[in-house]
């Protein structure tokens, strides 16, 4: 298990490094980037030349960038969005809200999906498989921003159930309430995915010998499904979880915009349109890191759940 | 015993009746596919939307990027339907001076359809009124079926032009991905060994590149628009298909029919294209169908963020983004594109599920 973990970690660190080099070279070498901006004052240009080493070879710039990022958490200075403010502090300020809505969405989607998946598998007689498939396909298919718009119009504007926009300056309770709709919009599709997958896997599990044994020793269908079936059904769910997590992360880009939440997604979009490339670069590194970390955790979970995977290094999966 | 009750069976007819046409694999799949009502309705919806995306913009006299600054924010109005009180080009105007509502120089005769109870604010009598906006703007015989946007452009035309562009981006990228993935996977699976190891390592590296990073870089390099989206969708969209095709090839290349083909002297290319590929084509088609809604989603997602297709070209995402600003006052501007994109994505997903079930009836209901 330990060797397996080290192997996966090494592969992901390599990827991480590759992505950084790629992003850095694209942003620095591209014509028309922020450092060639003719509107830049000569003072700003001097600061840039000193800080970002513009004018020196790109590899040197890259080495310096990585050195400063690793040792001083210094990702450069924002030039357009928050002129003069270090990128790190811009991001530090935007990070919490993004983390909160992403984890809240995940924390809502997973239990909900598992609950509905078990219910759908056990209640196969009550509602037909077709209906479950259709409803879940609908939840998966309708884009999150359409769901968000519908929620904003019906739940917030027509019915007044929750605020339609994020309220950053309100008290704790009101502020959490204003996050309800964005989290719901983000959680719907992942919950549907979990439901559909889990239902299929649990129905699959019904035909196994160990489920027959569990029923034979007197467990109710519910207990059998929860105690024995879930363990079997959860393995194929793990790789989907990483996908789900990155989907939620990407989804929060647009959800943050719709509900005007000042998070990481907003910074990324704003920095691209404003060509604030130091900021773009740092946000991209952040997203890469989070995605790769999620992948690593999923690899570990898969290895822990299925010995075949950790022994063969994931080749059979 | 009375034999008269018995007659000889018409043998010829009996034999004829059991004779049916043999069913080939393909007709079998088609029959199973068309038996499912949900698949049929999905196909119908896709055909309808595609038809409207092709011919919809030509159905009325407006051009998709022709601004009419005198007729901005017009509500939907459809001839014939307007009599039933929907799509009649009316809007509820809030807080109007009650006295003006009867003044025909401000509100032309017949334009005020209904006046809600009068209320007094700051000593002024105000009322909400349902007003025929077309009469108000002296455009009595004009019909904007889905209304107009903030520049007075016809939303019906823009909606179908936008659907056309979204579909174009999705279909093009999925086509390229399927072709690249099939060739790549076929080579990997058929030749195996070192070739396979090396080529599959490339797909692993591509797969671990985060999508957000890829899109951002391409947008920074090429600038926003339809082609960067297609390019970004094609850079790593094909790896899944490649893996799928590779698995199929690994499975089939040991079969007797491949050996037989080789024995009679078929070359590699012929074995790949004529003997193995037809067996692998089913899952590839299913996968392509399932990839289409994903591509539509990414296109509209980027457009929604302002990083995708740029004005004045419409796409479903652009229309949704435009409509968002006016969500509370003019929900219809969001409603129609939202409906089209949702129906389109649901239909493609249902179709891919139907296809999967038709190709592999043993997996029914799993999906």
């Amino acid at each position: 298990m330990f060797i397996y973990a080290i192997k996966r970690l090494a592969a992901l660190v390599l990827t991480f490094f590759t992505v950084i080099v790629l992003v850095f070279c694209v942003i620095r070498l591209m014509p028309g980037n922020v450092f060639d901006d003719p509107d830049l004052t000569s003072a700003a240009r001097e600061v840039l030349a000193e800080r970002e080493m513009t004018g020196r070879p790109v590899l040197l710039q890259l080495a310096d960038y990585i050195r400063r990022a690793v040792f001083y958490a210094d990702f450069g200075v924002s030039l357009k969005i928050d002129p003069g403010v270090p990128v790190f502090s811009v991001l530090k300020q935007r990070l919490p809200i993004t983390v909160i809505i992403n984890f809240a969405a995940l924390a809502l989607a997973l239990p909900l999906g598992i609950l509905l998946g078990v219910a759908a598998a056990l209640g196969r007689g009550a509602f037909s498989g077709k209906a479950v498939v259709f409803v879940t396909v609908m939840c998966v298919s309708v884009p999150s921003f359409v769901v968000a718009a519908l929620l904003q119009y019906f739940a917030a504007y027509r019915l007044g159930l929750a605020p339609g926009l994020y309220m950053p300056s309100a008290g704790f309770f009101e502020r959490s309430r204003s996050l309800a709709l964005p989290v719901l919009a983000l959680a719907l599709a992942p919950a549907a995915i979990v439901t559909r997958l889990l239902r299929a896997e649990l129905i699959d599990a019904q035909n196994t010998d160990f489920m027959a044994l569990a029923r034979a020793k007197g467990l109710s269908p519910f207990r059998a499904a929860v105690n024995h079936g879930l363990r079997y059904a959860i393995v194929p769910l793990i790789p989907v979880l990483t996908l789900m997590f990155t989907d939620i992360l990407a989804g929060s880009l647009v959800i943050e915009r719709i509900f005007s939440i000042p998070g990481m997604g907003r910074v990324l979009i704003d920095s691209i349109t404003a060509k604030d490339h130091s900021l773009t670069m740092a946000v991209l590194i952040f997203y890469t890191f989070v995605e790769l970390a999620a992948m690593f955790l999923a690899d570990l979970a898969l290895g822990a759940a299925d010995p075949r995977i950790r022994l063969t290094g994931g080749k059979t999966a | 015993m009375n034999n008269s009750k018995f007659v000889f069976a018409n043998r010829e007819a009996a034999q004829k009746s059991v004779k049916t046409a043999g069913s080939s694999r393909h007709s079998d799949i088609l029959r199973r596919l068309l038996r499912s009502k949900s698949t049929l309705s999905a196909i119908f919806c896709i055909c309808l939307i595609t038809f409207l995306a092709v011919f919809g913009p030509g159905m009325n006299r407006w051009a998709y990027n022709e601004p009419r600054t005198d007729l901005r924010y017009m509500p939907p109005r459809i001839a014939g339907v307007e009599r039933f009180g929907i799509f009649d080009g009316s809007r509820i105007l809030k807080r109007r001076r009650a006295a003006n509502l009867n003044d025909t120089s401000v509100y032309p005769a017949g334009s005020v359809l209904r006046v809600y109870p009068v209320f007094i604010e700051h000593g002024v009598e105000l009322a909400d009124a349902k007003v025929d906006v077309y009469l108000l703007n002296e455009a009595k015989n004009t019909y904007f079926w889905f209304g107009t946007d903030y520049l007075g452009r016809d939303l019906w035309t823009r909606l179908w032009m936008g659907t056309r562009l979204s579909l174009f981006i999705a279909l093009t990228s999925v086509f390229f991905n399927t072709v690249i993935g099939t060739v790549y996977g076929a080579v990997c699976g058929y030749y195996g060994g070192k070739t396979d190891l090396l080529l599959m390592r490339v797909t692993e590296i591509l797969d671990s590149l985060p999508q957000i990073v890829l899109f951002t870089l391409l947008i920074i390099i090429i600038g926003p628009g339809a082609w960067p989206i297609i390019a970004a969708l094609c850079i790593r969209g094909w790896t899944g298909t490649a893996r799928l095709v590779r698995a199929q090839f690994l499975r089939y290349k040991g079969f007797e029919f491949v050996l037989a083909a080789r024995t009679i002297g078929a070359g590699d290319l012929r074995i790949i294209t004529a003997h193995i590929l037809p067996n692998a084509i089913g899952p590839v088609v299913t996968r392509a169908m399932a990839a289409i809604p994903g591509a539509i989603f990414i296109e509209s997602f980027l457009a929604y963020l302002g990083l995708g297709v740029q004005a004045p070209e419409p796409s479903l995402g652009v229309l949704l983004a435009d409509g968002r600003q006016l969500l509370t006052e003019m929900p219809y501007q969001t409603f129609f594109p939202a409906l089209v994109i949702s129906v389109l994505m649901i239909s493609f997903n249902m179709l891919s599920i139907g296809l999967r079930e038709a190709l592999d009836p043993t997996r029914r209901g799993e999906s």
Side-chain angles (χ1 to χ4, degrees):
Chain A
M1 183 69 200
F2 183 68
I3 294 173
Y4 166 74
I6 294 287
K7 267 187 189 166
R8 296 307 305 160
L9 189 63
L12 291 178
V13 167
L14 201 66
T15 314
F16 188 46
F17 187 71
T18 317
V19 173
I20 290 182
V21 172
L22 191 72
V23 173
F24 191 86
C25 292
V26 166
I27 287 182
R28 283 294 162 96
L29 293 179
M30 191 188 42
N33 68 24
V34 66
F35 307 112
D36 303 338
D37 193 343
D39 298 339
L40 229 53
T41 60
S42 60
R45 213 178 284 277
E46 265 169 39
V47 173
L48 270 182
E50 191 207 326
R51 280 193 59 101
E52 312 285 338
M53 303 178 76
T54 47
R56 308 281 295 278
V58 174
L59 280 181
L60 245 146
Q61 291 181 30
L62 175 64
D64 188 59
Y65 184 87
I66 293 176
R67 183 182 61 84
R68 279 186 292 127
V70 171
F71 292 112
Y72 308 105
D74 174 7
F75 294 89
V77 172
S78 167
L79 294 167
K80 297 272 178 70
I81 305 280
D82 267 333
V85 179
V87 167
F88 190 69
S89 37
V90 175
L91 297 190
K92 210 166 60 183
Q93 196 189 331
R94 310 290 189 105
L95 185 60
I97 187 74
T98 297
V99 171
I100 288 173
I101 58 171
N102 277 287
F103 276 97
L106 203 61
L108 179 68
L110 256 187
L112 192 70
I114 291 178
L115 207 71
L116 291 178
V118 173
L122 290 177
R124 247 179 313 171
F127 27 71
S128 71
K130 276 225 169 96
V132 176
V133 168
F134 185 71
V135 171
T136 50
V137 165
M138 215 166 85
C139 294
V140 174
S141 301
V142 178
S144 56
F145 43 90
V146 171
V147 176
L150 290 179
L151 284 176
Q152 239 178 3
Y153 185 70
F154 288 106
Y157 177 67
R158 276 295 176 81
L159 301 172
L161 294 176
L165 292 175
Y166 177 58
M167 305 194 291
S169 51
F172 176 75
F173 180 69
E174 268 302 295
R175 211 171 65 203
S176 326
R177 229 165 64 93
S178 71
L179 286 178
L181 294 185
V183 168
L184 197 62
L186 276 176
L188 197 62
I193 292 174
V194 174
T195 305
R196 193 168 60 170
L197 243 167
L198 199 63
R199 174 179 164 276
E201 291 295 331
L202 278 177
I203 289 177
D204 210 30
Q206 300 291 329
N207 302 325
T208 58
D209 291 342
F210 67 83
M211 284 297 277
L213 175 68
R215 296 279 287 120
K217 76 181 182 186
L219 290 185
S220 67
F222 178 75
R223 290 293 299 268
V226 170
N227 291 359
H228 299 270
L230 261 186
R231 209 186 138 82
Y232 169 90
I234 218 98
V235 176
L237 213 67
I238 295 172
V240 180
L241 273 185
T242 20
L243 258 179
M244 242 171 73
F245 185 73
T246 51
D247 272 0
I248 293 181
L249 203 65
S252 86
L253 283 181
V254 65
I255 295 296
E256 280 176 18
R257 196 179 167 89
I258 294 178
F259 291 94
S260 64
I261 297 168
M264 293 293 266
R266 276 286 287 279
V267 179
L268 179 61
I269 307 304
D270 291 348
S271 72
I272 294 173
T273 37
K275 299 203 165 179
D276 193 339
H277 288 148
S278 327
L279 209 50
T280 310
M281 166 115 196
V283 180
L284 288 185
I285 291 177
F286 166 77
Y287 274 113
T288 311
F289 178 77
V290 174
E291 283 214 31
L292 292 179
M295 259 188 211
F296 180 61
L297 287 182
D299 282 343
L300 284 191
L302 262 182
D306 192 339
R308 280 170 306 178
I309 292 169
R310 72 172 172 261
L311 291 178
T312 56
K315 285 290 175 290
T316 52
Chain B
M1 196 159 130
N2 187 1
N3 281 353
S4 64
K5 282 186 179 168
F6 295 91
V7 286
F8 280 106
N10 186 348
R11 286 214 177 137
E12 228 167 85
Q15 267 176 356
K16 223 180 212 167
S17 69
V18 292
K19 260 191 201 161
T20 54
S23 67
S24 77
R25 185 173 145 77
H26 286 108
S27 70
D28 218 31
I29 290 170
L30 198 66
R31 191 176 49 81
R32 277 200 297 267
L33 189 67
L34 297 182
R35 203 169 48 191
S36 149
K37 281 197 199 81
S38 57
T39 312
L40 269 182
S41 36
I43 293 175
F44 173 75
C45 288
I46 292 171
C47 289
L48 181 70
I49 290 177
T50 312
F51 174 80
L52 284 169
V54 175
F55 296 107
M59 282 180 183
N60 60 20
R61 57 201 173 93
W62 312 112
Y64 74 94
N65 57 0
E66 170 198 355
R68 289 285 304 267
T69 40
D70 52 329
L71 298 173
R72 299 159 65 214
Y73 303 119
M74 299 300 275
R77 187 188 190 201
I78 302 175
V81 187
E82 60 186 333
R83 255 169 253 149
F84 302 107
I86 47 164
F87 299 120
D88 57 355
S90 70
R91 172 179 301 141
I92 295 171
L93 298 177
K94 295 254 164 85
R95 304 155 55 82
R96 301 286 145 165
R97 278 172 188 271
N100 282 354
L101 288 175
N102 296 323
D103 184 350
T104 49
S105 66
V106 181
Y107 297 94
S111 68
V112 178
L113 300 175
R114 186 174 165 193
V115 180
Y116 293 92
V118 175
F119 53 92
I120 296 175
E121 214 174 274
H122 302 301
V124 185
E125 284 191 341
L126 297 175
D128 296 348
K130 193 174 178 185
V131 173
D132 186 331
V133 185
Y134 285 78
L135 279 180
L136 198 63
N137 285 310
E138 290 154 8
K140 191 166 182 292
N141 292 317
T142 317
Y143 288 91
F144 291 110
W145 294 337
F146 284 176
T148 63
D149 67 359
Y150 63 99
L151 289 175
R153 293 175 296 197
D154 179 45
L155 279 173
W156 165 277
T157 317
R158 283 181 73 72
L159 176 63
W160 300 118
M161 284 302 284
T163 311
R164 194 189 280 184
L165 188 59
S166 292
L167 274 176
F168 171 76
I169 291 175
L171 294 179
T172 314
S173 60
V174 167
F175 173 76
F176 282 130
N177 280 336
T178 307
V179 171
I180 298 172
T182 306
V183 173
Y184 200 96
V187 170
C188 282
Y190 186 77
Y191 292 105
K194 284 217 176 81
T195 323
D196 181 33
L197 206 67
L198 193 73
L199 290 181
M200 287 321 281
R201 191 47 49 86
V202 173
T203 65
E204 270 172 38
I205 293 171
L206 280 177
D207 272 345
S208 58
L209 285 180
Q211 215 162 19
I212 301 175
V213 175
L214 260 181
F215 283 120
T216 316
L217 288 184
L218 273 166
I219 286 160
I220 291 179
I221 298 173
I222 323 183
W227 287 106
I229 300 177
I230 293 178
L233 284 168
C234 287
I235 283 185
R236 54 167 266 187
W238 52 269
T239 54
T241 310
R243 249 195 306 277
L244 186 80
V245 173
R246 173 177 172 270
Q248 298 282 323
F249 268 75
L250 286 179
R251 187 172 136 205
Y252 285 113
K253 76 175 176 187
F255 272 48
E256 279 87 355
F257 66 84
V258 176
L259 186 64
R262 183 166 294 138
T263 314
I264 59 171
D268 283 353
L269 193 66
R270 183 165 174 77
I271 292 177
I272 290 177
T273 53
H275 294 280
I276 306 186
L277 200 58
N279 289 294
I281 213 75
V284 172
V285 173
T286 310
R287 199 190 152 80
M289 279 302 154
I292 292 174
I296 295 176
F297 171 76
I298 286 178
E299 182 282 315
S300 52
F301 175 82
L302 289 173
Y304 206 92
L305 293 174
L307 302 175
V309 178
Q310 297 291 295
E313 296 302 317
S315 82
L316 287 174
V318 171
L319 293 172
L320 280 166
D322 286 347
R324 183 175 68 94
Q325 331 268 340
L326 307 158
L327 185 63
T328 48
E329 303 108 75
M330 290 164 227
Y332 64 89
Q333 295 216 357
T334 301
F335 178 74
F336 294 115
L339 187 70
V340 170
I341 196 173
S342 304
V343 169
L344 207 52
M345 288 182 60
I346 294 172
S347 301
F348 273 115
N349 277 329
M350 289 310 280
L351 180 59
S352 86
I353 288 177
L355 258 177
R356 189 160 47 207
E357 282 175 358
L359 285 166
D360 189 358
T362 54
R363 289 171 56 91
R364 272 204 90 101
E366 281 181 34
S367 58

